[in-house]
Amino acid sequence: MGPWAIPWMMLWLCCLLPSARAHTKIPLDTVKSWADAFGGELYSIVTKYSGSLLLQKKYKDVEPNLKIKEVDGLELVKKFSQQMESMLRRKVEAVERLVEAAEDADLNHEYNSSLEFDYYNSVLINEKDENDNYVELGDEFVLEPNEHFNNLLVNTTYSNIQLPTNVYNKDPDILNGVYMSEALNPVFVDNFERDPTLTWQYFGSSTGFFRLYPGIKWLPDENGVISFDCRNRGWYIQAATSPKDIVIVVDVSGSMKGLRLTIAKHTIVTILDTLGENDFVNIIAYNDYVHFVEPCFKGILVQADRDNREHFKQLVDELQAKGVGTVNKALAESFKILREFRDAGQGCLCNQAIMLITDGALEDYEAVFEKYNWPDRKVRVFTYLIGREVTFAPNVKWIACNNKGYYTQISTLADVQENVMEYLHVLSRPMVINHDHDIIWTEAYMDSALPQSAELFSSQAQSLLLMTTVAMPVFSKKNETRSHGILLGVVGSDVPLRELLKLAPRYKLGVHGYAFLNTNNGYILSHPDLRPLYKEGKKLKPKPNYNSVDLSEVEWEDQDEILRTAMINGETGYLTMDVKVPVDKGKRVLFLTNDYFFTDISGTPFSLGVVLSRGHGEYILLGNTSVEEGLHDLLQPDLSLADEWIYCITDIDPDHRKLSQLEAMIRFLNGEDPDLECDEELLQEVLFDAVVTAPMEAYWTALALNMSMETEAGVEMAFLGTRAGLMRSVPYVGSEKISNRRFLTRRDKESIFTMDHFPLWYRRAAEHPPGSFIYSVVSEDDPEGGGLPKVVTVSTAVAVAVNGKMGIAAAVGVQMKLELLQRKFWKATQQPNDTDCSAFDGACPLSCQDDILNCFLIDNNGFILISKRPAETGKFFGAVDGSVMTQLLNMGMFRRVTMYDYQAMCKVHSHHHSGARPLLSPIYAFLAAVKWLISDFLIFLLEFNMSNFWHSNNLADAKAVFHHSHKHKKHDVLQPCDTEYPVFVYEPAIQETNGLIKCGDCQKMFVVQQITSSNLLLLITDATCDCSGFPPVLLDEKEVKYILPLKCERMRSQKLRRRPDSCHAFHPEENAQDCGGAAEVSISPMLLLLPLALLLR
């Protein structure tokens, strides 16, 4: 070998060195000893300060006095259903009394066109002028807060009158109607006295006024407009008409440009707002050719649920006018759809109608009617002539009058509302002539019209904000108007769904059980997983489709829709499903086997379901103790009860409303208040739990007094909860030092017993072996966290066993500072420098403080509790180290579970004009600025002092449309969508593992060891090997994108539904010649500026 060969060989060896670099070897025994030491100390701290072993012993001692009874789910659901039916029947009786009173009052009232009459106007009450005198229609009206009405200021002695801004409050029709309906006041009061669970009662008049009891102060919106019109509400429309199939046909030819198209669009939106989930609809636009505004809906009708109506509104907003109008083809297509659906037994199988919206009709259209509609005239045709031109009025009116419809002319935006309402009066005629008082129940809805609705949104569980309405039509009984079928209006009463669910008490349903309601259309009426609100900025708003969420979208494991089908058909029965239940904002999942029991609620279109989870969820614990002993222990200061549970009924008698549930219960048990009604079975459970858990107070108090601030500084609170909703808690530090002050308060709903659920710490503990503790870090998005998690909640379940049956009696735990956990962790994960390393295979002495190691404490869902880098606390481990997480998934230590959310909201980039266009020409930029100034000035003129020109303030609707159009100019809007997201779950069968990951020129070693009696894992990785080339494993939610054919198929699919029982389509005595005429409109000169302003916009 020559002298030159040695340097070359050294260079060659150097080049090989990186690929042969040894990895950091982490001794398995070292990691196991760390895990054991840390786990042992943790277990010692949490058992000591929670008192879990003492509580377990106390329940063990009383096992001989305990009975564990298996719940009969079918009997339970039938019992709940009967109670709900009884409650709802009382609401129906109240409404029937109002109908009778209103019809009698009308029969005895003689119309007086010059009637002068003062009434309480809900907007003007208590208002004074500059001379300190009450304004006209605004006399003094006493208002007081009332808990039964969500603490709103109300008057339970009188009702008062609300009118939309575009209805003149002294119109003779209004004055006569208000005067006549004064007869309802004593009936409202009498109804409320008979049934104190009644909430709002009201009469919505066909002339536009709304009589509401109890009376309230009504507030205009931010534009000074009262847009609420009772005739637009679902309860009014459903009571006034039978179900209907509607095809809306709109002219989009060139002559419809400008204001005419704006009015036409507003007319379509107004018609859509009169439809409900029992109706079916489609929209056809025509010019030179016929096209469906939603191509996926070609040739069919779709259910007019909120989802589809909102979708149609967006498509209508994009319509443009061009070409020449040919109405014949559009009418023929409409008749074909309606006939095909009728013949196939699809749609509503009741009323069918075509709504023709046009600015004129030139063709010979008689042949179309002869071919498709005459002589039977099964389809009514309603015509809306847009614009002031009267040339085509006879033609357009002829179409309506010869097809049992109604004709109106709409010249301004302000005319739209009143003219659209006319078709409802026509459709109601057969029912009115027959005097058929059908009782209707609406789908779930959220009443955002009343004052303080925003506060209610934020103060209650989302699923409990909804209500249903029972309503009945009110007819004129006068013989002289019988053939006209005059609908006077609709009476109704609201039923908050939380009142119904009070009849299915939580304590009977177990830790994970719940009750839910759905409608004849398969839509959710109430369900703990229903999320009707979403956040836009800082505001909570109802989702566009909040009340058309299908049962199959919440109970999505019901893939064959067996449960849905049975419940829609009103069957009684049960089935079993394995389900994945998301908890903790979707970050975690519980795997349960649920039994579903279901039946119908007689006299309503609703069905009730009760869910019990297998195992402990189907057992109820029955203990026995004396009232005297239990009362003594109830009075301890550390004890509280679930505020939302009904131990005693306190919201009916005004004397009881100020009582807490605990105060009411004590008064009942002491015999101080014989009028109180209480659930004696639940009270017995509470008394028993109070006695068994009483020693915990003394135990915790003694610990607090003798606490070593050096070794255990950081344990802040001990708490427990029992299956009867009883809670005890004791702070170990002063209240000002508690890190998470929201915990166990109403500000943190997940941590307390509610009508919807048991606390999260209780639910998670119940699914882990008793004695094993669940550790959960307060999430980083929590406002109390100050950006990073600071607190750990620890809990364990307490089980009892009797005759081989195991029930969960309670859960107990502590809340501690994360800092305490970190202190113990870093102390346990190091070897002293004088360690005898001869027994260890690998690096020794070793410490998690060494630069060569990364040490993590993670939970069973992969979230980091402890890391060297504090910013990683609370994050998902896969986002921090994708290489190790990927390997853990491949080895089966973790598994990925795909979850679905069919109530998600996704960002959609809305269409807008290119922002680059003004840059092309300085002249364009100048013209755009001038255009903006002129249009804003015109809108200002239109809004300024309008009452001087037009006493009825009819511009309200125009303003509403104008303001609404600007809301769509945001670039990113949120729309309902379907999403999927992963949850990662530790497989406890694998208690320890290790592996090597090849990363380029190095190998990365990792070791994982389970921490005993916990849901925690110790994870040690080699910090010297860079594996950043591996992609992170993320928890990102992804929108489920459907390819066009599949998307159309999903949109077109007609799910099973049960039609309403009654239908009133035609009556031989109805006066078909009462088919409308040219509307006389008082024109304000200022209104002439509106087209120009809107076009400039």
Side-chain angles (χ1 to χ4, degrees):
M1 185 181 292
W4 52 268
I6 293 172
W8 277 110
M9 187 172 288
M10 290 178 68
L11 182 62
W12 178 73
L13 285 169
C14 288
C15 291
L16 283 179
L17 193 59
S19 61
R21 196 174 83 193
H23 65 264
T24 301
K25 194 166 185 182
I26 306 167
L28 306 187
D29 290 344
T30 300
V31 177
K32 187 172 188 325
S33 67
W34 286 352
D36 290 344
F38 178 62
E41 188 157 13
L42 263 191
Y43 184 77
S44 172
I45 291 171
V46 296
T47 51
K48 176 181 175 181
Y49 286 98
S50 68
S52 60
L53 299 178
L54 172 62
L55 188 61
Q56 182 69 66
K57 180 181 181 305
K58 290 299 174 186
Y59 271 104
K60 189 80 178 166
D61 291 345
V62 297
E63 275 183 6
N65 302 323
L66 260 179
K67 290 180 184 174
I68 294 186
K69 182 177 127 187
E70 190 166 350
V71 178
D72 185 332
L74 267 180
E75 282 303 309
L76 196 64
V77 77
K78 287 176 187 174
K79 180 184 172 186
F80 290 166
S81 169
Q82 287 163 4
Q83 291 172 342
M84 290 179 181
E85 179 193 340
S86 175
M87 174 196 172
L88 296 177
R89 182 65 222 163
R90 292 198 299 273
K91 314 303 177 198
V92 171
E93 288 166 358
V95 166
E96 286 173 337
R97 286 191 288 271
L98 288 169
V99 169
E100 186 179 358
E103 291 184 348
D104 287 346
D106 175 69
L107 189 61
N108 297 321
H109 174 73
E110 191 171 330
Y111 186 88
N112 179 0
S113 59
S114 57
L115 177 67
E116 291 188 9
F117 171 66
D118 284 339
Y119 57 89
Y120 290 116
N121 182 303
S122 62
V123 177
L124 301 175
I125 52 169
N126 301 327
E127 295 288 325
K128 293 186 176 182
D129 58 22
E130 60 274 11
N131 298 320
D132 203 34
N133 296 319
Y134 287 109
V135 299
E136 191 177 22
L137 304 182
D139 209 348
E140 182 181 7
F141 194 75
V142 177
L143 296 170
E144 295 175 336
N146 190 308
E147 284 186 36
H148 187 65
F149 295 94
N150 295 313
N151 280 317
L152 292 177
L153 295 170
V154 299
N155 184 318
T156 53
T157 307
Y158 293 103
S159 60
N160 62 4
I161 303 296
Q162 177 270 343
L163 297 109
T165 301
N166 63 333
V167 174
Y168 180 42
N169 58 26
K170 286 212 151 186
D171 182 282
D173 288 346
I174 297 294
L175 288 176
N176 276 270
V178 171
Y179 181 78
M180 176 274 290
S181 65
E182 284 284 298
L184 296 181
N185 264 320
V187 187
F188 285 141
V189 175
D190 179 57
N191 278 344
F192 192 40
E193 287 173 355
R194 290 188 194 208
D195 180 6
T197 66
L198 276 173
T199 57
W200 306 102
Q201 303 173 67
Y202 37 81
F203 170 62
S205 165
S206 60
T207 57
F209 73 82
F210 181 58
R211 181 178 285 279
L212 178 64
Y213 174 88
I216 62 166
K217 175 76 173 172
W218 206 285
L219 303 173
D221 65 17
E222 64 270 17
N223 301 311
V225 173
I226 303 286
S227 57
F228 177 89
D229 189 324
C230 62
R231 298 166 299 176
N232 265 350
R233 307 299 279 181
W235 52 266
Y236 185 99
I237 292 155
Q238 287 181 51
T241 63
S242 295
K244 44 205 171 290
D245 294 337
I246 300 284
V247 180
I248 302 171
V249 179
V250 59
D251 183 351
V252 289
S253 61
S255 62
M256 288 285 288
K257 280 184 179 176
L259 182 60
R260 287 183 180 183
L261 187 60
T262 302
I263 294 172
K265 289 178 180 180
H266 187 35
T267 303
I268 296 172
V269 168
T270 307
I271 293 171
L272 288 172
D273 284 339
T274 67
L275 305 180
E277 60 182 39
N278 288 319
D279 304 319
F280 286 76
V281 67
N282 205 337
I283 303 177
I284 293 174
Y286 72 90
N287 41 28
D288 300 306
Y289 61 96
V290 172
H291 69 276
F292 291 82
V293 295
E294 171 51 80
C296 287
F297 295 158
K298 183 177 181 180
I300 65 166
L301 297 171
V302 294
Q303 200 168 357
D305 57 35
R306 183 179 288 265
D307 219 356
N308 284 331
R309 295 198 308 266
E310 293 301 318
H311 181 61
F312 274 130
K313 287 177 187 178
Q314 290 176 3
L315 296 170
V316 165
D317 194 43
E318 296 168 7
L319 288 176
Q320 294 181 340
K322 58 185 176 182
V324 179
T326 53
V327 71
N328 277 4
K329 290 179 183 176
L331 286 171
E333 186 70 28
S334 304
F335 279 118
K336 283 179 190 173
I337 294 169
L338 292 169
R339 184 176 63 190
E340 286 169 11
F341 258 59
R342 187 170 64 238
D343 294 346
Q346 294 179 298
C348 74
L349 295 185
C350 192
N351 287 295
Q352 289 196 320
I354 294 171
M355 309 303 209
L356 176 61
I357 302 167
T358 180
D359 64 347
L362 286 170
E363 302 166 67
D364 179 17
Y365 32 74
E366 191 170 335
V368 177
F369 301 125
E370 284 179 345
K371 182 176 181 180
Y372 293 104
N373 205 35
W374 295 348
D376 295 336
R377 291 173 171 82
K378 290 181 178 177
V379 178
R380 296 183 191 264
V381 182
F382 296 89
T383 54
Y384 302 89
L385 181 62
I386 306 298
R388 303 190 183 285
E389 181 61 56
V390 295
T391 307
F392 300 109
N395 296 5
V396 179
K397 181 177 179 180
W398 182 92
I399 292 173
C401 293
N402 282 276
N403 291 280
K404 291 187 176 179
Y406 200 89
Y407 156 78
T408 60
Q409 182 167 4
I410 304 177
S411 306
T412 71
L413 284 164
D415 297 340
V416 172
Q417 177 72 34
E418 292 297 320
N419 284 309
V420 165
M421 286 295 138
E422 292 294 345
Y423 98 86
L424 294 175
H425 297 156
V426 174
L427 291 188
S428 70
R429 282 176 191 163
M431 180 170 60
V432 178
I433 294 169
N434 260 346
H435 282 262
D436 289 320
H437 288 96
D438 292 340
I439 299 161
I440 68 98
W441 292 92
T442 68
E443 67 268 30
Y445 71 96
M446 198 175 298
D447 204 338
S448 55
L450 290 173
Q452 297 183 21
S453 57
E455 288 85 340
L456 294 179
F457 285 177
S458 58
S459 67
Q460 296 184 18
Q462 287 198 27
S463 58
L464 300 175
L465 283 167
L466 303 176
M467 63 180 68
T468 181
T469 291
V470 56
M472 288 176 69
V474 180
F475 311 136
S476 170
K477 289 181 177 177
K478 295 174 178 174
N479 287 330
E480 60 270 28
T481 58
R482 179 178 170 82
S483 66
H484 293 275
I486 294 176
L487 175 76
L488 299 175
V490 173
V491 295
S493 181
D494 291 344
V495 182
L497 293 173
R498 64 181 294 121
E499 296 302 316
L500 270 183
L501 290 178
K502 284 178 182 177
L503 300 174
R506 285 293 298 113
Y507 78 95
K508 291 187 183 237
L509 307 178
V511 180
H512 305 298
Y514 55 90
F516 65 95
L517 296 156
N518 70 302
T519 71
N520 58 302
N521 288 297
Y523 295 140
I524 291 294
L525 198 66
S526 179
H527 192 292
D529 292 335
L530 180 66
R531 305 190 314 276
L533 302 178
Y534 75 103
K535 212 165 192 176
E536 189 174 83
K538 293 184 178 179
K539 283 187 176 180
L540 283 170
K541 292 186 171 182
K543 293 175 182 174
N545 63 334
Y546 76 85
N547 65 355
S548 53
V549 176
D550 196 85
L551 179 62
S552 61
E553 294 174 329
V554 178
E555 300 289 350
W556 50 267
E557 279 94 347
D558 181 29
Q559 291 181 359
D560 296 326
E561 298 193 356
I562 298 169
L563 174 68
R564 183 185 186 279
T565 302
M567 292 189 72
I568 284 174
N569 289 333
E571 296 172 17
T572 298
Y574 73 95
L575 64 83
T576 302
M577 281 195 291
D578 291 325
V579 297
K580 298 185 280 286
V581 180
V583 293
D584 198 10
K585 299 175 185 171
K587 293 192 299 187
R588 311 180 193 281
V589 63
L590 300 176
F591 298 93
L592 304 173
T593 299
N594 282 347
D595 288 327
Y596 291 78
F597 303 91
F598 48 85
T599 191
D600 70 325
I601 301 175
S602 183
T604 75
F606 308 141
S607 289
L608 169 68
V610 164
V611 180
L612 301 174
S613 58
R614 280 279 173 94
H616 59 78
E618 297 194 310
Y619 297 128
I620 192 162
L621 276 62
L622 303 172
N624 204 5
T625 190
S626 69
V627 171
E628 293 76 18
E629 189 180 7
L631 257 176
H632 173 268
D633 293 326
L634 269 180
L635 297 170
Q636 292 177 341
D638 69 322
L639 185 143
S640 63
L641 296 179
D643 273 349
E644 293 186 13
W645 289 20
I646 309 300
Y647 299 86
C648 298
I649 297 171
T650 59
D651 63 343
I652 295 177
D653 188 328
D655 293 336
H656 297 153
R657 285 183 190 145
K658 291 189 168 54
L659 296 176
S660 70
Q661 285 294 319
L662 183 56
E663 289 167 342
M665 184 174 164
I666 291 168
R667 288 183 68 169
F668 175 80
L669 293 170
N670 279 329
E672 294 173 24
D673 197 333
D675 293 334
L676 269 168
E677 286 183 52
C678 297
D679 185 331
E680 295 193 32
E681 185 182 331
L682 179 55
L683 263 56
Q684 184 58 48
E685 289 189 24
V686 171
L687 290 173
F688 181 78
D689 286 346
V691 171
V692 177
T693 61
M696 299 300 290
E697 185 199 25
Y699 175 84
W700 288 334
T701 304
L703 276 180
L705 294 172
N706 300 304
M707 199 167 185
S708 165
M709 296 316 292
E710 285 139 23
T711 55
E712 282 96 19
V715 181
E716 297 189 337
M717 177 193 296
F719 57 87
L720 68 84
T722 76
R723 88 280 188 215
L726 178 148
M727 290 187 67
R728 293 182 184 272
S729 63
V730 166
Y732 286 128
V733 295
S735 58
E736 73 285 351
K737 292 184 180 178
I738 289 178
S739 305
N740 182 8
R741 294 178 194 170
R742 299 168 74 245
F743 187 63
L744 303 185
T745 71
R746 293 178 68 84
R747 289 189 297 154
D748 181 7
K749 290 271 191 179
E750 288 289 302
S751 70
I752 61 173
F753 292 90
T754 68
M755 275 186 75
D756 264 354
H757 54 68
F758 274 53
L760 181 59
W761 47 266
Y762 196 125
R763 296 171 72 195
R764 292 188 65 207
E767 293 313 301
H768 281 256
S772 172
F773 285 86
I774 291 289
Y775 292 75
S776 179
V777 67
V778 175
S779 59
E780 60 186 305
D781 60 350
D782 191 290
E784 289 287 329
L788 284 175
K790 296 177 181 175
V791 183
V792 177
T793 303
V794 190
S795 60
T796 186
V798 176
V800 290
V802 177
N803 299 328
K805 297 174 182 173
M806 192 190 82
I808 302 295
V812 62
V814 292
Q815 190 159 86
M816 61 172 73
K817 279 190 174 179
L818 184 58
E819 183 190 326
L820 170 62
L821 219 62
Q822 291 168 335
R823 218 167 48 238
K824 300 294 181 185
F825 180 81
W826 298 123
K827 184 180 176 184
T829 53
Q830 59 182 347
Q831 290 175 305
N833 289 330
D834 58 356
T835 301
D836 179 5
C837 293
S838 58
F840 294 98
D841 180 19
C844 178
L846 201 60
S847 167
C848 270
Q849 304 288 2
D850 294 343
D851 292 339
I852 60 170
L853 294 184
N854 279 327
C855 299
F856 301 93
L857 184 68
I858 65 173
D859 69 17
N860 59 319
N861 295 112
F863 291 97
I864 298 171
L865 280 82
I866 297 176
S867 166
K868 278 184 177 178
R869 294 168 290 277
E872 292 172 353
T873 309
K875 289 187 176 176
F876 178 61
F877 177 70
V880 171
D881 192 331
S883 63
V884 176
M885 192 69 212
T886 301
Q887 192 68 8
L888 291 175
L889 287 165
N890 292 339
M891 296 168 78
M893 193 167 202
F894 274 85
R895 68 183 169 105
R896 177 192 175 113
V897 179
T898 301
M899 302 291 286
Y900 296 93
D901 183 1
Y902 295 103
Q903 300 177 68
M905 297 289 287
C906 300
K907 279 187 179 178
V908 178
H909 197 65
S910 60
H911 299 294
H912 62 282
H913 297 296
S914 170
R917 185 179 168 195
L919 301 178
L920 300 176
S921 164
I923 298 173
Y924 178 86
F926 170 76
L927 289 174
V930 171
K931 172 179 162 184
W932 179 82
L933 286 169
I934 295 172
S935 64
D936 264 41
F937 175 67
L938 288 171
I939 290 296
F940 166 75
L941 287 178
L942 282 164
E943 294 184 355
F944 178 75
N945 203 14
M946 213 40 210
S947 58
N948 288 339
F949 296 95
W950 195 2
H951 67 256
S952 60
N953 229 349
N954 275 342
L955 195 64
D957 280 357
K959 283 172 63 179
V961 171
F962 180 78
H963 288 293
H964 177 73
S965 69
H966 283 270
K967 289 180 183 176
H968 293 291
K969 295 204 171 182
K970 293 178 182 176
H971 297 323
D972 286 317
V973 293
L974 290 170
Q975 286 187 355
C977 61
D978 300 341
T979 60
E980 65 175 33
Y981 61 95
V983 176
F984 295 89
V985 181
Y986 165 62
E987 291 290 355
I990 306 174
Q991 295 185 0
E992 59 182 3
T993 191
N994 64 86
L996 288 172
I997 304 166
K998 186 166 176 55
C999 301
D1001 63 350
C1002 64
Q1003 288 184 312
K1004 178 176 184 172
M1005 184 176 184
F1006 66 90
V1007 180
V1008 187
Q1009 181 72 47
Q1010 187 187 37
I1011 309 289
T1012 56
S1013 301
S1014 78
N1015 67 323
L1016 301 177
L1017 299 167
L1018 174 61
L1019 175 54
I1020 313 294
T1021 70
D1022 175 5
T1024 62
C1025 182
D1026 181 12
C1027 286
S1028 57
F1030 275 80
V1033 179
L1034 302 174
L1035 296 174
D1036 290 353
E1037 196 173 30
K1038 292 180 182 174
E1039 183 177 358
V1040 179
K1041 298 277 190 183
Y1042 300 103
I1043 58 173
L1044 192 59
L1046 181 59
K1047 181 181 178 183
C1048 273
E1049 187 181 328
R1050 282 175 59 85
M1051 291 172 73
R1052 289 172 66 93
S1053 65
Q1054 304 276 339
K1055 283 182 174 285
L1056 176 74
R1057 58 186 291 274
R1058 188 170 87 243
R1059 291 183 181 86
D1061 297 329
S1062 63
C1063 169
H1064 309 281
F1066 297 102
H1067 194 285
E1069 293 179 29
E1070 69 177 274
N1071 180 10
Q1073 295 311 304
D1074 181 8
C1075 55
E1080 292 182 11
V1081 183
S1082 56
I1083 308 302
S1084 164
M1086 294 297 288
L1087 196 63
L1088 299 176
L1089 295 172
L1090 183 61
L1092 179 58
L1094 288 167
L1095 286 172
L1096 284 169
R1097 285 284 180 174

